Amino acid sequence: MNTVAAYGNTPFVDEIRAYVIRPYESEMGKMNWTQIGNLEDIPRQGSRVVNTAKGEIALFRSVDDQVFALDNRCPHKGGPLSQGIVHGKRVTCPLHSWVISLESGEAVAPDVGCAHRHEVRVAHGVLFLEVKA
Amino acid sequence: MSNKKTRLVVIGNGMAGIRTIEELLKMSPDEYEITVFGAEPQPNYNRILLSPILSGEMKFQDTVLNDWSWYEENNITLHAGKTVTKIDRQRCVVETEDGVSVPYDRLLIATGSNPIMLPVPGIDLPGVLAYRSIDDVEKMLAAARDKTKPKKRAVVIGGGLLGLEAANGLSLQGMEVSVVHLCDWPMERQLDQVGGGLLKRELEKRGLKFYLSRQTEAILGDDIGGEHRITGLRFKDGEEIPADLVIMAAGIRPNIELAKSAGIHCERGIVVNDTMQTYDPKVYSVGECVQHRKQTYGLVAPLFEQAKVAANHLAEYGRMRYEGSSVSTKLKVTGIDLFSAGDFNPGPEDEELLLQDAARGVYKKLVLRDNKLRGAVMYGDTVDGPWYFQMLRDGTDITEMREHILFGQAHLGDSGRGGAASVANMPDSTEVCGCNGVCKGTIVKTILDKKLFTLEEVRAHTKASSSCGSCTGLVESILANTVGGDYSTKQSKKAMCPCTELTHEEVREAIAKQKLKSMPELMATLSWKTQDGCHSCRPALNYYLLSAWPGVYQDDNRSRFINERVHANIQKDGTYSVVPRIWGGVTSPSELRSIADIAEKYKVPTVKITGGQRIDLLGVTKEDLPGMWGDLVNAGFVSGRAYGKSLRTVKTCVGSEWCRFGTQDSTGLGIKVEKMTWGSWTPHKFKIAVSGCPRNCAEATIQDFGVGCVESGYEIHVGGNGGIKVRVTDFLCKVATEEEVLEYCGAFMQLYREEAHYLDRTAPWIERVGLAYVKQRVVEDAAGRADLYARFLESQKYSQDDPWKERAEGKDAHEYAALAEIA
Ligand code: SRM
Ligand SMILES: Cc1cc2nc3c(=O)[nH]c(=O)nc-3n(C[C@H](O)[C@H](O)[C@H](O)COP(=O)(O)OP(=O)(O)OC[C@H]3O[C@@H](n4cnc5c(N)ncnc54)[C@H](O)[C@@H]3O)c2cc1C
Ligand code: SF4
Ligand code: FES
């Protein structure tokens, strides 16, 4: 198990190569929480990606420091949501500007579609993501 | 809820009143306990669509805007079918005829208007109807379908918009219809004599009969079969015509009796100020009953503007002002294309442009004053109506397009959209929006199903015209055709985005005057409605702050579109393209060799020569970007900013160095210009070209800034655009030296940077402000030009850091790396 603190604000790209982390059973209940990094690793109004066996998951941090996780695939044509502009509790897809609710993963009307959401927790500034088996 | 809510009572369950409530609920859903009184027993419906109901094209259900459940869901108490007869302003209570009384803290009067019933003998006969409500329409339909009478003749008094729509509808219901009108031609308030004549002829072809310049003296009746019935109509000149049904469409009068009896100041309408408040500060008023700056309105678009303002004040935002509207009109008779806007009767200081094509049945008239549009009348071909209307409202200087303006926007080089036929006759299957593949039929259906009124709504629901925007005029025409009138939200004042009521200009002014230097500060000072803006205002604000405070404002990369944030163009599969700057399009074997090596190292799938004289490396993954940039930087390249609202390319031709026709060193000059301008952020992308002689091989005349070299110096051209709508540059001036070219280039770019709206390219910007203005600032005012140039150079000091170099060295590293891998 790697320590997450190791990749706080490291300046060089090469050192930021992502860590391979194995899921573990946490004390936070029966859920399969995986420690993935620190709140500070995601810029405010920004996003980072976690690569999983089942595809990319985008983590978003709103201006008031709430964290959300969605599949990094826009329900429209698969655009990478992590690259969009985050505003309020929403993100605008970079490809054709669908607006997706970070809370529900649903596209904001009139568009219809859903980006699957994932459970994420922040405890003492450390991020935990629930990865379903 | 512990605190009691403020009580808002609305009198009038019609279009303006309920629109105000809708706007209010959007802004402040829980502030008020709302009670609505409506004299009509129906929920709020779209009055405009009475005509299609009458003509049999629609059913009442299709026109309901807010059904019963809407009132319930929003906790609104609706008293439908109840007329308010008294407002007690001392006790703050309204009372109905049958004794219901409701107290208010705020009152909104939206009682609309009443049809004018001419005071002639016989006006009280059964069978004399107005044309205002669904009740009227049902009575008309019953009369038309009455099987007991063999020959059913209707006479419509009034040949205006409403009268003709009624006449057309009744005629389609099988009645024999005559129109009586005081003037020499129908719709004299919207059409001049020629247009009115064309309209009359077309309606006659459809079976309507006109009695023009006639005044009704009496409606005649008789007892027939024990029933008192209409038999006909007598004119002042003595002539009598037969009739079984008479429709009064002689105009409307603001419905102010109730307000007046409560002592609220009224003239022709209920007098309100710019916040839609009456003389009693507790009482607001909107709609046709209102008189604002001496004006009353009888079309929906201005009423909706009023609704927005009233709601803004009811919600205690207190920011908006209603400053009056200009309106355009459209007759909703299927198959007749007619459009009018503004003041189309030329005065002594006005000019008139006319186009008349009898064979095609087309008539167009534009009225100009000081090279700006004041009014437009169109008949037969109205596709350009919204375009003219837009220019009219914007006060666009049309000097440059004067020669072609009558032929429409298509003739100004709107590639691909040329010859768009009349919207009404366009088949449903015609593709209107090429970007999103939306057909006319889909747009019409969505407008009707979803009850849309504005261009913004149509964009949101259909995506039509939401991408490149070249079909906007067409979509507006379809909207106007489907619902009548012009509902585009591009009103006299257009808010930047839904997060604010302020316009681009107002925001830029506030940034300068109030010295706003950060986005949170700006949003707080200007009362932004959202926590941190949206994808539309944030990039604009970021640009405005950046251009206002060079070197001071910290660029906010969270407010940049992805391409600008990661300094590469995102592709459809989520990979990126990399375009290094190739100064003036000139390269060398060693540069090419390094590009080739780097392309191989990173396994770039496609290497392409761009339309901008450089090389595009396509299909690079995000993780590879910093590494690849590092290699490019080491080989001497900087970012080409092919992704930015910034200087793109400077195209050149070979020029005097090689070409037998070259008059100047166009290549060298192009490189100098590019070295000066690269890195600058602009409202939209900015492209430059320098051609060595009038053969113009670098296509300088479709660039934002183009230089055409000639023996005696350099001709400077501005405001060109390739792309969606080709626009040839305007000639700005001629200069003698390369130094002057650089100065004019910097000054022109700076003016554009400081004054254009974000996402306006130079072409639409110049069309809006006029070439004369740009000439004045950049050519005539030498001291001003020097200042602009100096400001440009100053801000360049802070923007010529290569973003690739910084990122290869580690800046924003998180953008390019995953946070974690989970096995
Ligand atoms: C790469 C290139 C096509 C090519 O393979 O040649 C290109 C590619 C794109 N163009 Fe272009 N344009 C390219 C030259 C042009 C030209 C020709 C020119 O510059 O001489 C034009 C017409 C001239 C003009 O701009 O007036 C052109 C008019 C447009 C437009 C329409 C602009 C307009 O005002 O009407 C857009 C849409 C926009 O900017 O909103 C656009 C947008 C785009 C975008 C950015 C679309 C997008 O958002 O993904 C494309 C990016 C692809 C990429 O990742 O590189 N591109 N584009 C050319 C890059 C030139 C360069 O070296 O930087
Ligand atoms: C046939 C027809 C076609 C039209 N076509 C177009 C068009 O193509 N384009 C366009 O822009 N406009 C058109 N209009 C005009 C448009 O419908 C009106 O401008 C708009 O409906 C006015 O809105 P309002 O809220 O001011 O009045 P209304 O919609 O008339 O609403 C006022 C409501 O107040 C109620 N009321 C009045 N007094 C009282 C009282 N004392 N107590 C309780 N309730 C009361 C009335 O019953 C009514 O329901 C058309 C109008 C008609 C009649
Ligand atoms: S490169 Fe330009 S013309 Fe080609 S598809 Fe993309 S935007 Fe359209
Ligand atoms: S892929 Fe997201 S909007 Fe099209």
Side-chain angles (χ1 to χ4, degrees):
Chain A
M1 183 67 226
N2 285 296
T3 50
V4 186
Y7 52 122
N9 295 318
T10 351
F12 293 100
V13 183
D14 280 340
E15 294 174 29
I16 302 209
R17 289 281 170 241
Y19 286 73
V20 178
I21 303 168
R22 261 166 285 105
Y24 73 109
E25 289 280 332
S26 87
E27 56 277 47
M28 281 187 269
K30 280 196 265 344
M31 293 171 101
N32 217 1
W33 294 106
T34 305
Q35 190 178 340
I36 49 164
N38 292 332
L39 178 64
E40 293 313 313
D41 297 334
I42 311 176
R44 238 177 228 148
Q45 297 174 305
S47 170
R48 294 291 300 275
V49 168
V50 172
N51 291 325
T52 76
K54 287 189 167 168
E56 296 179 357
I57 296 176
L59 279 97
F60 301 89
R61 175 173 170 192
S62 67
V63 73
D64 54 4
D65 287 345
Q66 298 195 52
V67 178
F68 305 91
L70 300 178
D71 278 349
N72 192 22
R73 279 184 59 80
C74 175
H76 179 220
K77 292 190 179 173
L81 294 175
S82 57
Q83 321 281 313
I85 290 183
V86 177
H87 47 103
K89 293 185 181 40
R90 292 173 168 184
V91 61
T92 299
C93 177
L95 291 197
H96 318 97
S97 298
W98 277 30
V99 179
I100 311 292
S101 157
L102 295 176
E103 290 166 301
S104 64
E106 296 280 351
V108 171
D111 295 316
V112 184
C114 188
H116 182 75
R117 52 182 285 281
H118 301 268
E119 293 299 327
V120 55
R121 291 270 178 286
V122 192
H124 307 292
V126 179
L127 297 172
F128 295 88
L129 181 69
E130 201 227 346
V131 184
K132 301 213 174 66
Chain B
M1 195 152 287
S2 57
N3 279 346
K4 257 180 69 188
K5 288 193 195 176
T6 321
R7 294 159 304 186
L8 171 67
V9 171
V10 183
I11 308 178
N13 187 26
M15 297 187 75
I18 299 308
R19 183 69 166 208
T20 312
I21 301 306
E22 286 182 327
E23 297 280 357
L24 176 63
L25 291 174
K26 269 193 255 167
M27 281 185 264
S28 185
D30 301 316
E31 189 168 353
Y32 287 101
E33 181 185 314
I34 302 173
T35 309
V36 176
F37 287 93
E40 293 178 82
Q42 294 84 8
N44 178 34
Y45 60 91
N46 188 348
R47 204 170 295 286
I48 294 173
L49 296 178
L50 289 179
S51 295
I53 298 181
L54 181 61
S55 61
E57 290 163 73
M58 283 178 104
K59 297 250 172 313
F60 176 71
Q61 302 85 273
D62 305 332
T63 68
V64 172
L65 292 170
N66 304 82
D67 55 18
W68 304 113
S69 60
W70 178 84
Y71 295 88
E72 251 169 58
E73 282 157 19
N74 290 291
N75 295 319
I76 295 170
T77 314
L78 172 65
H79 296 279
K82 289 207 189 298
T83 307
V84 174
T85 46
K86 186 172 174 200
I87 304 171
D88 184 333
R89 290 198 295 134
Q90 260 78 50
R91 288 167 47 230
C92 293
V93 171
V94 301
E95 288 170 20
T96 66
E97 52 192 345
D98 54 359
V100 179
S101 81
V102 175
Y104 65 83
D105 300 304
R106 291 274 179 287
L107 181 65
L108 178 68
I109 306 183
T111 46
S113 51
N114 290 323
I116 296 178
M117 302 304 270
L118 298 178
V120 292
I123 191 77
D124 303 325
L125 284 168
V128 180
L129 297 175
Y131 186 25
R132 179 73 194 172
S133 62
I134 183 65
D135 187 47
D136 297 327
V137 171
E138 274 162 5
K139 284 185 185 142
M140 287 187 216
L141 287 175
R145 288 166 190 163
D146 185 349
K147 296 245 162 45
T148 62
K149 271 174 271 168
K151 221 171 135 211
K152 287 163 287 187
R153 291 157 306 196
V155 175
V156 177
I157 301 181
L161 213 59
L162 278 192
L164 294 185
E165 286 185 13
N168 178 62
L170 291 169
S171 155
L172 287 175
Q173 292 297 340
M175 293 186 93
E176 216 173 83
V177 185
S178 308
V179 177
V180 180
H181 195 48
L182 261 179
C183 283
D184 293 346
W185 66 89
M187 286 182 63
E188 78 286 353
R189 290 180 50 198
Q190 289 85 16
L191 290 178
D192 61 357
Q193 188 155 9
V194 182
L198 287 169
L199 174 64
K200 169 170 169 268
R201 222 173 317 144
E202 175 62 33
L203 289 170
E204 278 170 345
K205 267 197 251 161
R206 296 166 178 233
L208 298 192
K209 203 161 169 191
F210 280 90
Y211 293 92
L212 296 175
S213 327
R214 300 300 173 95
Q215 201 177 344
T216 308
E217 187 178 73
I219 299 166
L220 312 172
D222 207 350
D223 286 320
I224 304 165
E227 217 188 315
H228 200 57
R229 278 186 167 180
I230 299 180
T231 55
L233 208 80
R234 188 169 65 237
F235 300 136
K236 272 256 159 65
D237 61 10
E239 189 184 349
E240 291 187 8
I241 57 170
D244 304 305
L245 181 71
V246 171
I247 311 297
M248 275 287 173
I252 54 171
R253 188 175 284 141
N255 183 2
I256 58 174
E257 304 322 319
L258 178 67
K260 228 174 169 172
S261 70
I264 294 170
H265 179 61
C266 297
E267 286 170 12
R268 259 184 315 139
I270 302 171
V271 177
V272 295
N273 62 17
D274 286 0
T275 66
M276 305 314 293
Q277 203 173 34
T278 67
Y279 273 62
D280 178 340
K282 285 196 159 98
V283 183
Y284 286 78
S285 185
V286 290
E288 286 185 344
C289 53
V290 154
Q291 176 181 332
H292 170 264
R293 298 195 187 178
K294 302 258 178 275
Q295 234 8 79
T296 58
Y297 295 96
L299 289 169
V300 173
L303 309 186
F304 283 1
E305 266 189 87
Q306 296 176 351
K308 219 174 181 158
V309 175
N312 191 280
H313 287 275
L314 285 170
E316 289 170 0
Y317 278 72
R319 281 219 154 254
M320 283 181 87
R321 289 173 54 191
Y322 178 66
E323 294 173 352
S325 316
S326 40
V327 292
S328 71
T329 323
K330 172 91 193 66
L331 180 71
K332 297 189 302 299
V333 169
T334 307
I336 295 186
D337 267 343
L338 174 160
F339 181 94
S340 101
D343 188 354
F344 51 82
N345 287 315
E349 57 296 35
D350 298 336
E351 298 172 272
E352 207 178 48
L353 301 181
L354 277 181
L355 180 146
Q356 205 164 352
D357 182 341
R360 274 171 64 221
V362 171
Y363 169 71
K364 288 189 187 184
K365 173 163 113 179
L366 300 178
V367 176
L368 308 179
R369 184 180 296 174
D370 299 333
N371 283 315
K372 294 189 174 143
L373 275 180
R374 298 197 67 220
V377 181
M378 309 166 71
Y379 186 89
D381 172 6
T382 55
V383 192
D384 288 304
W387 181 55
Y388 294 135
F389 190 41
Q390 183 63 41
M391 292 196 288
L392 187 146
R393 281 177 298 185
D394 288 353
T396 307
D397 187 315
I398 60 125
T399 315
E400 300 301 311
M401 47 181 139
R402 194 180 158 115
E403 276 174 56
H404 305 286
I405 191 168
L406 272 176
F407 301 110
Q409 203 172 10
H411 283 261
L412 292 175
D414 189 353
S415 63
R417 301 263 154 229
S422 133
V423 174
N425 300 331
M426 184 185 277
D428 278 352
S429 57
T430 307
E431 187 174 86
V432 172
C433 172
C435 291
N436 296 303
V438 191
C439 298
K440 180 196 166 193
T442 315
I443 300 177
V444 172
K445 187 165 178 301
T446 314
I447 291 173
L448 295 176
D449 287 356
K450 300 257 158 83
K451 307 175 181 21
L452 310 181
F453 285 105
T454 66
L455 177 66
E456 298 312 318
E457 289 168 347
V458 177
R459 282 188 175 152
H461 283 86
T462 66
K463 296 270 153 180
S465 109
S466 64
S467 296
C468 81
S470 70
C471 59
T472 301
L474 218 51
V475 175
E476 285 185 316
S477 293
I478 293 173
L479 184 63
N481 246 278
T482 313
V483 294
D486 182 299
Y487 301 99
S488 65
T489 47
K490 288 186 206 137
Q491 255 113 24
S492 33
K493 261 181 82 175
K494 189 183 171 215
M496 245 177 97
C497 76
C499 302
T500 178
E501 306 298 351
L502 302 175
T503 62
H504 285 268
E505 281 87 0
E506 288 167 335
V507 170
R508 291 199 95 163
E509 200 184 298
I511 291 174
K513 282 224 178 102
Q514 307 186 35
K515 306 232 176 317
L516 305 174
K517 295 187 181 169
S518 79
M519 210 164 317
E521 186 190 354
L522 182 151
M523 289 181 179
T525 315
L526 303 180
S527 313
W528 234 243
K529 288 189 234 163
T530 44
Q531 187 179 23
D532 57 344
C534 69
H535 65 265
S536 146
C537 60
R538 283 239 304 273
L541 295 178
N542 187 52
Y543 170 74
Y544 291 155
L545 288 162
L546 204 59
S547 95
W549 312 112
V552 175
Y553 174 71
Q554 275 294 317
D555 184 33
D556 172 21
N557 82 357
R558 292 285 131 217
S559 298
R560 288 200 176 265
F561 293 118
I562 178 64
N563 289 354
E564 294 189 346
R565 179 163 4 107
V566 301
H567 294 271
N569 289 68
I570 194 167
Q571 305 293 318
K572 58 193 277 190
D573 60 354
T575 64
Y576 290 82
S577 73
V578 171
V579 184
R581 195 165 286 289
I582 294 190
W583 305 98
V586 179
T587 181
S588 66
S590 80
E591 267 188 5
L592 290 173
R593 203 168 288 121
S594 9
I595 290 181
D597 289 344
I598 292 165
E600 275 178 352
K601 174 169 170 193
Y602 292 94
K603 302 196 176 56
V604 169
T606 302
V607 178
K608 182 181 179 306
I609 308 293
T610 72
Q613 301 191 345
R614 31 200 207 169
I615 293 171
D616 198 350
L617 306 169
L618 291 136
V620 181
T621 62
K622 203 177 179 190
E623 294 72 32
D624 274 344
L625 287 172
M628 187 163 167
W629 292 337
D631 291 350
L632 283 165
V633 168
N634 287 337
F637 290 98
V638 298
S639 162
R641 299 224 181 171
Y643 46 79
K645 311 291 174 227
S646 66
L647 178 83
R648 292 280 174 92
T649 66
V650 178
K651 302 211 280 190
T652 68
C653 71
V654 280
S656 60
E657 205 189 348
W658 293 98
C659 179
R660 62 197 162 121
F661 297 117
T663 61
Q664 310 280 355
D665 177 13
S666 50
T667 324
L669 177 57
I671 294 172
K672 280 185 201 150
V673 171
E674 190 161 3
K675 295 261 176 186
M676 174 179 85
T677 53
W678 76 278
S680 55
W681 295 110
T682 40
H684 204 306
K685 57 190 174 189
F686 196 96
K687 299 180 177 181
I688 298 179
V690 186
S691 282
C693 85
R695 286 168 195 77
N696 191 17
C697 298
E699 298 164 326
T701 47
I702 52 163
Q703 309 299 327
D704 296 280
F705 186 86
V707 181
C709 301
V710 288
E711 274 307 330
S712 53
Y714 306 86
E715 290 177 347
I716 295 179
H717 302 265
V718 292
N721 204 170
I724 297 156
K725 199 175 115 194
V726 181
R727 181 183 194 270
V728 171
T729 42
D730 294 312
F731 173 71
L732 187 72
C733 63
K734 189 176 156 192
V735 297
T737 64
E738 288 193 341
E739 286 61 45
E740 283 170 294
V741 172
L742 292 175
E743 176 176 344
Y744 278 78
C745 177
F748 174 75
M749 253 178 118
Q750 186 64 13
L751 184 66
Y752 167 61
R753 298 182 69 216
E754 288 176 3
E755 299 193 357
H757 294 178
Y758 187 66
L759 296 189
D760 254 1
R761 276 193 79 173
T762 55
W765 170 63
I766 287 189
E767 283 181 5
R768 192 152 48 78
V769 300
L771 179 65
Y773 172 75
V774 176
K775 274 194 172 147
Q776 194 271 320
R777 295 285 306 269
V778 177
V779 184
E780 288 149 29
D781 178 2
R785 174 175 66 244
D787 285 348
L788 282 167
Y789 185 43
R791 287 205 290 282
F792 181 77
L793 294 179
E794 169 67 19
S795 91
Q796 282 298 81
K797 283 191 203 153
Y798 309 97
S799 56
Q800 290 194 331
D801 309 320
D802 182 30
W804 285 0
K805 183 156 177 281
E806 292 171 345
R807 280 158 187 78
E809 286 166 357
K811 185 170 176 193
D812 291 340
H814 58 81
E815 289 287 356
Y816 309 95
L819 174 63
E821 305 274 352
I822 300 180

